[in-house]
Amino acid sequence: MRTPSRGDRANVLAVASIVAAALLWATMGIFVRKLALYALDTMAVVAVRTTITAVLLVGLILVRRPAALRVRPRDLWCFAGTGIASIVFFNYCYFLTITLTSLSVAAVLLYTAPAIVMVLSLVLFGERPTKRKLIALGLAFAGCVLATGASTGTVAQLSPRGVLTGLGAGLGYALYSIFGRYAINRGYSPLTITAYTFIFASLGVAALADLGAVARAVVSAPPLLAWSIAMAICTTVAPYLLYTGGLQRVESSRAAIIASVEPVGATMIGAVVFGERLSAQGLAGVAMVIASVAMLGREVGQRKE
């Protein structure tokens, strides 16, 4: 029996980091529901999340490792990609889709992202779509459909514009893995990538949110600031650092499929925290997503199957 090498252990840790990131993203519903009590609209929540994240990360870097803020001007497009093309574009399209379709339809359209990452990774990085990846992708997508509660009955809720914005959300979600890969290939650390991602994202979202209303809400309700900081740490700082760190050892296409465990986490949180009923269909979806993650986790880091 072969003894696991240091590289094997690092690969397992990378997969665990991506899974942990996805589960932390899944807690977003808790914070969104809490912040909704303070009458913040969805783009205001995004503004709070991105701005506080940028401030926290820049502050951390200045205290612990100032050199991490040094980037080459010619590489700034990578961070504009992760921050504006991904974070801002994804959030805008996703929230717009929610207004045009049901939550379940929006979630299913969002989880076209792994397929988009797979195609883009093939073209841009030469990551070939192996049989195992394709099977895992199919399992993950089908599992997301079941876990989010989408069914044939949601077809009536489709609209051309809703489908278009939903696919736009999937593209924006996918682009973090793509631009993040470019930044990693240029030698930047997860801390640097995440910090500049949210510096750009906070600048981009400022054009879409009423920052004055956000500032007034924070001043008038001090607990809102505490909840906002907690949201930034739990749903942004920690998961994006973990996911970007995982990308250092896991192919973008694999990482995107593994991150499909997010709706599993959201489904379980809905059941445990909010008492939402977990159907047999939902449980089947959870099992399918977990199976897809297990399939890829066994061979992560390998180029041949």
Side-chain angles (χ1 to χ4, degrees), residues 3 30 98 144 177 208-209:
T3 302
I30 297 174
I98 289 172
C144 288
S177 296
L208 302 173

Side-chain angles (χ1 to χ4, degrees), residues 110-127 129 133 137 170-179 181 243 247 250-257:
L110 174 63
Y111 280 95
T112 57
I116 296 171
V117 173
M118 186 174 289
V119 172
L120 292 177
S121 295
L122 171 64
V123 173
L124 300 174
F125 308 123
E127 296 179 10
K133 282 185 188 177
L137 176 64
L171 173 62
Y173 195 74
L175 287 177
Y176 186 86
S177 296
I178 302 302
F179 284 106
R181 172 66 62 197
Y243 185 81
L247 280 178
V250 180
E251 291 178 332
S252 298
S253 53
R254 291 180 188 267
I257 298 171

Side-chain angles (χ1 to χ4, degrees), residues 64-77:
R64 299 291 299 274
R65 204 169 72 191
L69 284 176
R70 295 175 187 164
V71 298
R72 296 177 291 274
R74 67 176 181 272
D75 294 333
L76 289 175
W77 64 271

Side-chain angles (χ1 to χ4, degrees), residues 9 28 60 71 74 88 112 114 135 138 165 186 218 233-234 241 249 257 261 264 298:
R9 291 191 291 271
M28 176 60 78
L60 175 64
V71 298
R74 67 176 181 272
V88 177
T112 57
I135 293 173
T165 58
R186 281 160 173 72
V218 171
I233 293 171
C234 294
L241 286 173
R249 298 193 68 88
I257 298 171
V261 77
V264 170
R298 290 178 59 189

Side-chain angles (χ1 to χ4, degrees), residues 2 4 7 10 26 28 30 53 91 100 127 130 132-133 136 152 156 168 172 187 194 256 268 271 304:
R2 187 173 73 88
M28 176 60 78
I30 297 174
T53 298
N91 278 286
L100 297 170
E127 296 179 10
T130 61
R132 185 176 292 270
K133 282 185 188 177
T152 55
T194 307
M268 300 308 295
K304 296 183 180 180

Side-chain angles (χ1 to χ4, degrees), residues 93-94 96-98 100 109 160-170:
C93 287
Y94 187 63
L96 184 56
T97 304
I98 289 172
L100 297 170
L109 291 171
R161 190 181 178 204
V163 170
L164 185 62
T165 58
L167 293 174

